[in-house]
Amino acid sequence: MSEVQPLSGNWLDERTHLRKSLRRTDVTFYLLCTLVGLDTIGSVAASGPQGLVWMVILAVVFFLPYGFLTTELGTAFPVEGGPYVWTKLAYGRLAAGVNQVLYWLSNPLWMGGTLAIIAVTTFETFFLPLGVVGKIVAGLVFIWIGVAAVAASLHVGKWVPIAGAYARIVLLGFFMISVVVYAVKNGVQPLSGTDFIPTWSGFVVLVPVLIFNYVGFELPSTATEEMTDPQRTVPFAILRAGVSAFFLYGGPILGILLVVPAAQIQGLGGFIDAAKQVLTVYGGSVAADGTVTLTGAGAVLGSVCAAGLIIGVLTSGVSWAIGAHRAQAVACADGAGPAYLGRLSEKHGTPIRVNVLSGVLASVVLVTALNLTGGDSEKYFTAGLALVICTTFISYLLTFPSMLVLRHRMPDVDRPFRAPFAWLVTILTTGLVAFTVVVLIWPFELPSAFEGQRTEYTLSQVVPLLIVIGIGFLFYALGSPTRERDRELTSTSA
């Protein structure tokens, strides 16, 4: 790998601040925290039992091929920056730089969008109501706690996603146990066999959310040079975290379908509403109109579960930020962005400048979106989640095919793991993310929160995407001094 020399510019100096901090088990739990997204469970359950069927189908035609693809790339090119390095080697620095900005900016959009609003909504549901100003304050606190966690040294910061993985296991495990107790006491919602038949409309609605919940395998490779034995660690972590994530995600979806009437399940509140309802077995009641009141032990456990859910969505954002921010810092230090953002903290070895900028952007997203929607959380959640998925998946349109491109361009590079059926793997993964981008920008059926407002919905996706792509080209232009320095050094050494 040393003969490839994929990175240049200021990165050769910045990489000296890195420290080996990630062991095999660390990476496994880090991935588990990344893959099990608590923010999308309700969205899948809202589509009914066929959501479970599509989850299984997509596990075969997307999740498994995606694991093969990222395992090959991560073990063949074990260099800090992961996806940025792969796309640079395949297509050049300009394409990789713009692509990396899309990948990076999806994180502050996610933190300031869907994750913050889920945390705030959960707080309102279990603790006390907040007005628009209260939502903004609570959301900002949520965002900047995440910023602080990502800024810490990796040997400290890694414990945030590890704790998040354990929180998921405990929270979702307790939820499933409570579903069983609730079912024994109160019965369950009747589910017809025909409800499980997959439909085209279900496919269109569910593919974006399910695939989004299945992505994240490439994130450990953004910190490859901070990992012990990455060529063995990456395959180990992907296999174990992938299998665990499938069951941790599917169980709660089934639980929601069993206890919450289908007409009451919403994308934002599905998991929250189900948790409240099942916890009534410990103390509380459900009124005729579906209103849930928790009392006694039910109220106490409800507060504990609410705190666990808030921690869960916070650690989701932190785990993605740890990877996305590192890859962006590598890109900037390599000349695909402003050198200022490519600097690592000498003390912590983390990209604090990218991290703080991301926090500022997430804060702007939060305040702007809540003001534009008048505090309408469901509308905000719908538009925000679609934009985050779209931004991330556009970057995958270059990243996924890079495996085949690099097999052709660099056939002699040692590949400890080679993805089977490489063409099929590439077509399935790239094709499904391309389809997702199309149906998110121009859905066949508008989300209920935007009924009759196609122009407003389309603008909520297209305008931010154009701005993000424009930032990518601006960053590349600002990286020209670093590239010029590289050319001078190359000509001098020659």
Side-chain angles (χ1 to χ4, degrees):
M1 187 60 213
S2 59
E3 298 177 358
V4 176
Q5 296 293 340
L7 297 172
S8 56
N10 299 322
W11 179 250
L12 298 180
D13 295 326
E14 296 301 321
R15 73 195 315 172
T16 60
H17 304 313
L18 300 176
R19 301 290 183 270
K20 297 286 186 182
S21 302
L22 295 175
R23 301 167 298 173
R24 186 175 296 184
T25 53
D26 296 335
V27 178
T28 301
F29 281 101
Y30 171 76
L31 261 181
L32 191 60
C33 179
T34 301
L35 294 170
V36 183
L38 300 177
D39 56 321
T40 54
I41 289 176
S43 297
V44 178
S47 295
Q50 68 169 308
L52 287 171
V53 178
W54 281 119
M55 189 185 79
V56 174
I57 294 173
L58 288 172
V60 176
V61 301
F62 179 81
F63 199 35
L64 186 62
Y66 168 55
F68 287 153
L69 185 150
T70 49
T71 299
E72 174 171 327
L73 289 169
T75 54
F77 304 96
V79 180
E80 192 87 359
Y84 169 74
V85 174
W86 307 336
T87 51
K88 179 189 175 183
L89 292 174
Y91 315 108
R93 186 154 36 189
L94 173 59
V98 176
N99 202 55
Q100 176 53 43
V101 167
L102 281 160
Y103 188 73
W104 161 55
L105 284 180
S106 65
N107 183 260
L109 289 172
W110 193 33
M111 282 291 287
T114 57
L115 297 185
I117 203 62
I118 282 182
V120 170
T121 301
T122 301
F123 185 87
E124 286 190 302
T125 302
F126 284 90
F127 298 104
L128 59 101
L130 301 169
V132 174
V133 174
K135 287 181 179 180
I136 291 174
V137 172
L140 291 176
V141 171
F142 175 86
I143 289 167
W144 287 95
I145 289 175
V147 170
V150 180
S153 301
L154 191 57
H155 75 274
V156 175
K158 70 181 181 181
W159 291 104
V160 175
I162 290 174
Y166 280 111
R168 282 159 171 75
I169 294 170
V170 173
L171 175 64
L172 298 178
F174 177 71
F175 175 73
M176 290 309 300
I177 292 172
S178 300
V179 166
V180 173
V181 176
Y182 183 91
V184 171
K185 182 177 179 180
N186 302 295
V188 296
Q189 298 296 317
L191 299 178
S192 169
T194 57
D195 294 335
F196 289 87
I197 298 175
T199 63
W200 168 251
S201 60
F203 175 78
V204 171
V205 170
L206 286 166
V207 162
V209 179
L210 282 171
I211 294 182
F212 181 64
N213 213 72
Y214 276 153
V215 296
F217 278 149
E218 73 282 350
L219 281 169
S221 293
T222 62
T224 294
E225 295 177 44
E226 299 167 83
M227 193 185 302
T228 57
D229 195 6
Q231 292 183 317
R232 292 186 179 182
T233 296
V234 168
F236 176 94
I238 285 177
L239 174 62
R240 284 155 180 78
V243 173
S244 301
F246 176 80
F247 289 104
L248 281 173
Y249 192 48
I253 293 173
L254 178 60
I256 293 173
L257 293 172
L258 290 174
V259 300
V260 180
Q264 296 180 15
I265 301 175
Q266 289 186 317
L268 173 58
F271 183 74
I272 300 171
D273 295 339
K276 285 190 70 174
Q277 188 152 328
V278 299
L279 290 175
T280 58
V281 299
Y282 307 111
S285 61
V286 182
D289 63 356
T291 302
V292 179
T293 303
L294 294 176
T295 58
V300 174
L301 290 171
S303 299
V304 173
C305 288
L309 180 59
I310 293 171
I311 292 171
V313 294
L314 173 64
T315 54
S316 285
V318 169
S319 63
W320 273 87
I322 286 174
H325 295 184
R326 275 168 168 72
Q328 186 58 49
V330 170
C332 290
D334 188 51
Y340 176 83
L341 294 176
R343 300 297 173 85
L344 300 183
S345 165
E346 293 184 13
K347 179 179 180 181
H348 302 293
T350 55
I352 291 180
R353 294 177 180 180
V354 172
N355 185 35
V356 171
L357 178 57
S358 296
V360 171
L361 293 173
S363 301
V364 171
V365 169
L366 173 75
V367 175
T368 302
L370 278 178
N371 282 323
L372 289 176
T373 59
D376 186 342
S377 298
E378 185 68 31
K379 193 170 188 178
Y380 179 20
F381 176 81
T382 300
L385 181 60
L387 180 59
V388 168
I389 296 174
C390 199
T391 307
T392 306
F393 282 16
I394 290 175
S395 74
Y396 286 148
L397 293 176
L398 280 186
T399 302
F400 289 172
S402 65
M403 181 186 72
L404 281 180
V405 174
L406 291 174
R407 279 195 182 187
H408 175 73
R409 295 189 62 182
M410 299 180 175
D412 297 329
V413 170
D414 180 40
R415 288 170 169 78
F417 176 87
R418 292 181 67 89
F421 310 107
W423 275 99
L424 180 60
V425 162
T426 302
I427 290 171
L428 286 173
T429 53
T430 307
L432 283 168
V433 297
F435 175 82
T436 298
V437 170
V438 172
V439 299
L440 283 176
I441 293 177
W442 193 265
F444 295 104
E445 183 177 344
L446 285 171
S448 59
F450 283 89
E451 187 174 354
Q453 300 177 335
R454 180 170 290 278
T455 299
E456 183 179 351
Y457 174 82
T458 302
L459 289 175
S460 76
Q461 305 302 303
V462 174
V463 172
L465 283 172
L466 292 175
I467 292 173
V468 170
I469 292 171
I471 292 173
F473 282 101
L474 174 62
F475 267 37
Y476 187 78
L478 294 174
S480 59
T482 301
R483 299 194 298 275
E484 180 61 32
R485 177 189 170 209
D486 283 347
R487 286 191 288 269
E488 291 175 357
L489 291 174
T490 301
S491 61
T492 300
S493 61

